[in-house]
């Protein structure tokens, strides 16, 4: 991943605000570090190698899909791309989150996943708040959204806890979004 800007000092209970830029593309919350995937990490996931700084159940299936997508997609490698979620207390990688760049008509989609051993700790909403706040500072972005299947109520709760509002949906998915102030 490129090493451009973005470090967020959002707390897990704060509302989105302007993140602090850094030169390494990381976002920092009270309990998490959201860091860009390195070439080494992508290769390890693709090669099914275990790393000592991964939670025992990382990578999950979704992490493998995102690692493959990121390895083969230059837009996913930039500062506005995919990140690993690191639990600051342990230093372990516990999931992934990222933007599906570039935005279309000012809107950009994001996705996330936390390994089963770390679910229920509020990590997903905390990571989502930081990433959404960061995305809303990007030039030309006024809306950040995620789609969730109706059969996934846990993911719907994550988005609601992160401050996104249900915007639209049908029997196949519901779209949650946050818009920049004034939009």
């Amino acid at each position: 991943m490129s090493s451009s800007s973005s470090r967020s000092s959002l707390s897990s209970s704060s509302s989105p605000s302007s993140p602090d830029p850094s030169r390494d593309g990381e976002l920092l919350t009270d309990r998490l570090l959201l860091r860009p995937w390195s070439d080494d990490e992508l290769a390890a996931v693709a090669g099914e190698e275990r790393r000592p700084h991964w939670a025992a159940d990382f990578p999950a299936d979704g992490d493998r899909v995102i690692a493959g997508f990121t390895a083969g997609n230059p837009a996913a490698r930039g500062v506005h791309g995919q990140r690993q979620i690191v639990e600051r207390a342990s230093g372990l990688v516990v999931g992934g989150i990222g933007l599906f760049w570039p935005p279309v008509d000012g809107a950009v989609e994001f996705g996330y996943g936390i390994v089963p051993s770390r679910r229920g700790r509020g990590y997903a909403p905390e990571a989502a708040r930081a990433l959404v706040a960061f995305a809303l500072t990007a030039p030309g972005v006024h809306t950040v959204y995620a789609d969730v299947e109706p059969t996934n109520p846990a993911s719907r709760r994550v988005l609601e806890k992160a401050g996104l509002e249900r915007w639209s949906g049908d029997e196949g998915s519901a779209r949650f979004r946050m818009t920049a102030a004034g939009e």
Side-chain angles (χ1 to χ4, degrees), residues 6-8 10 22 24-36 83-89 91-97 114 123 126-127 130:
S6 71
R7 181 175 298 267
S8 172
L10 295 175
S22 86
D24 52 12
E26 296 178 344
L27 298 173
L28 188 64
T29 72
D30 284 348
R31 301 178 299 157
L32 305 171
L33 169 66
L34 313 180
R35 72 170 178 223
R83 293 175 164 81
Q84 292 179 323
I85 299 173
V86 179
E87 184 179 59
R88 290 176 60 191
L92 297 176
V93 177
V94 299
I97 190 166
I114 301 290
Y123 289 169
E126 184 174 333

Side-chain angles (χ1 to χ4, degrees), residues 93-169:
V93 177
V94 299
I97 190 166
L99 300 168
F100 293 99
W101 203 258
V104 176
D105 297 328
V108 65
E109 183 178 8
F110 78 102
Y112 54 87
I114 301 290
V115 294
S117 67
R118 297 307 198 277
R119 291 182 186 156
R121 299 178 187 199
Y123 289 169
E126 184 174 333
R129 278 190 295 274
L131 186 71
V132 167
F134 167 72
L136 288 172
T137 68
V141 174
H142 58 72
T143 302
V144 182
Y145 70 93
D147 292 335
V148 63
E149 296 176 2
T151 57
N152 190 348
S155 193
R156 187 178 64 243
R157 284 191 303 276
V158 163
L159 296 171
E160 290 167 345
K161 287 178 182 179
L164 284 81
E165 297 177 335
R166 185 179 171 137
W167 175 38
S168 64

